[in-house]
Amino acid sequence: MRIVFIGTGEIGVPTLRTLLNSEHEVVAVVTQPDKRVGREQRIEPPPIKKALIGRARPPCAPIFQPARIKDPQIIEEIRDIGPDVIVVIAYGQILPRDVLEIPRLACLNLHASLLPRWRGAAPIQAAIAAGDHETGITVMYMDEGLDTGDILLQRNMDILPNDTGGSLHDRLAQIAPEALLESLRLLAAGKALRIPQDNTRATYAPKLKREHGQIDWSESAEAIERKIRAYNPWPGAFMKVDRQSLKIFSASAVDLNGQPGEILRREKDLIVAAGKGALSLAEVQLEGKRRMSAAEFLRGYGAPLRKAG
């Protein structure tokens, strides 16, 4: 197969590397433009481009980095390449019809959920936060909707009790390559299924922003603990302590009660009351400081703690 690979995020790197080492030919790679990151605002390429730069041998396929995939020039360049299949994973933009109609066989998207559950930009975090027991990779035929296309195949994976957004992301990234290769094999053999999604079962996981990480202490301790894991590393769960942000990396629910946000213990343990139950914080980081245990934070924090915000 002649394949155009379209992707940006880290989750797509194992799939791209597998394609580059397979019997298939990656004839072009489309990714987002380089952008400024961090406090120093250094220009960094997206993970997909980094993966190509880091190869032992240079890639023969061209790399396109348009600001918008709907740019007529980039559409024409992809059309001129004549791919059999376009593969999309974590690109960050919706492909227009003009691109979807280019490949000879199919335009496939690898999505990190068991569609139709958790359509949208943040399916991994949404699955953990909701308390789902399983998730997976869905390979679907793309259409103009938001993750609404017919399903070709799915690969399931259990969500572990200690999974974070980061750990589940990495495990899903490892099963995506096999799911894609099997999909391409089925396409080549003319045996690929098209299973319409049940739209009545659809749920949505919108793009997360940093402010979504602020803890709402009126929720139950179990729900907050799931969000702390789901939002690690992005957008990061945090509470306000005397107008400063205290980032929380891990915590556990405990059988104590109080008013939501009330600091129940502040000696060796930092325990905060939730809407139901309470949360014992384990690893935290005050803005401008290093990551540390809650006990270390309490020893070094001079002022008495007030109610958590």
Side-chain angles (χ1 to χ4, degrees):
M1 299 269 190
R2 291 172 53 81
I3 295 174
V4 170
F5 183 93
I6 302 179
T8 299
E10 193 77 43
I11 195 170
V13 170
T15 298
L16 175 58
R17 286 178 173 156
T18 297
L19 280 177
L20 290 169
N21 293 313
S22 72
E23 61 189 6
H24 304 288
E25 182 186 3
V26 178
V27 292
V29 172
V30 182
T31 189
Q32 298 271 20
D34 298 355
K35 65 178 182 180
R36 296 185 181 277
V37 297
R39 292 182 179 179
E40 297 180 1
Q41 290 292 284
R42 296 176 61 179
I43 297 177
E44 289 279 346
I48 290 296
K49 184 178 177 182
K50 281 185 180 179
L52 292 172
I53 295 171
R55 294 191 78 211
R57 52 179 180 166
C60 56
I63 303 173
F64 300 116
Q65 294 181 269
R68 303 297 298 173
I69 190 69
K70 62 178 65 174
D71 182 340
Q73 182 178 344
I74 190 65
I75 293 173
E76 196 57 38
E77 292 191 42
I78 296 173
R79 185 179 289 118
D80 289 344
I81 289 170
D84 297 312
V85 177
I86 290 178
V87 172
V88 183
I89 178 168
Y91 177 54
Q93 296 182 29
I94 295 177
L95 271 58
R97 175 177 290 275
D98 286 345
V99 174
L100 299 178
E101 293 176 343
I102 289 175
R104 180 177 65 87
L105 291 176
C107 193
L108 301 179
N109 176 244
L110 279 70
H111 185 75
S113 80
L114 298 175
L115 292 170
R117 187 161 179 80
W118 303 127
R119 296 172 178 173
I124 296 173
Q125 294 93 333
I128 296 174
D132 292 358
H133 296 294
E134 69 171 358
T135 185
I137 292 288
T138 298
V139 182
M140 68 171 178
Y141 300 90
M142 295 187 72
D143 59 19
E144 292 184 273
L146 180 63
D147 303 323
T148 54
D150 293 344
I151 294 168
L152 196 161
L153 65 75
Q154 293 182 320
R155 291 289 182 265
N156 294 38
M157 172 178 284
D158 289 340
I159 297 177
L160 305 178
N162 61 344
D163 260 328
T164 65
S167 68
L168 187 56
H169 167 283
D170 292 348
R171 293 199 296 123
L172 287 168
Q174 294 306 313
I175 69 169
E178 183 277 330
L180 176 61
L181 291 182
E182 177 64 9
S183 299
L184 295 175
R185 187 189 68 78
L186 292 170
L187 273 176
K191 296 180 180 180
L193 300 176
R194 292 193 75 115
I195 305 170
Q197 292 189 41
D198 181 355
N199 291 325
T200 64
R201 295 173 51 238
T203 55
Y204 293 88
K207 185 176 181 179
L208 292 170
K209 299 179 180 178
R210 191 172 298 276
E211 55 263 31
H212 288 128
Q214 182 160 7
I215 291 172
D216 178 359
W217 291 104
S218 68
E219 295 185 310
S220 71
E222 287 81 4
I224 295 171
E225 188 275 335
R226 290 197 302 267
K227 284 187 175 179
I228 289 170
R229 287 188 292 109
Y231 296 167
N232 180 2
W234 174 259
F238 67 93
M239 66 186 232
K240 290 291 186 179
V241 174
D242 296 332
R243 298 183 181 179
Q244 296 184 81
S245 290
L246 183 69
K247 195 171 183 179
I248 304 170
F249 295 95
S250 58
S252 57
V254 293
D255 190 18
L256 291 173
N257 293 288
Q259 293 299 313
E262 180 185 355
I263 307 295
L264 299 179
R265 290 184 188 171
R266 57 175 69 84
E267 295 173 358
K268 292 184 179 180
D269 299 310
L270 178 50
I271 298 179
V272 185
K276 179 181 179 183
L279 214 59
S280 178
L281 309 189
E283 282 190 287
V284 299
Q285 183 177 19
L286 192 66
E287 56 182 285
K289 304 293 184 179
R290 65 176 178 86
R291 181 169 169 170
M292 63 186 72
S293 69
E296 286 179 289
F297 164 73
L298 289 168
R299 285 197 299 269
Y301 194 75
L305 287 179
R306 300 167 186 163
K307 185 175 180 179

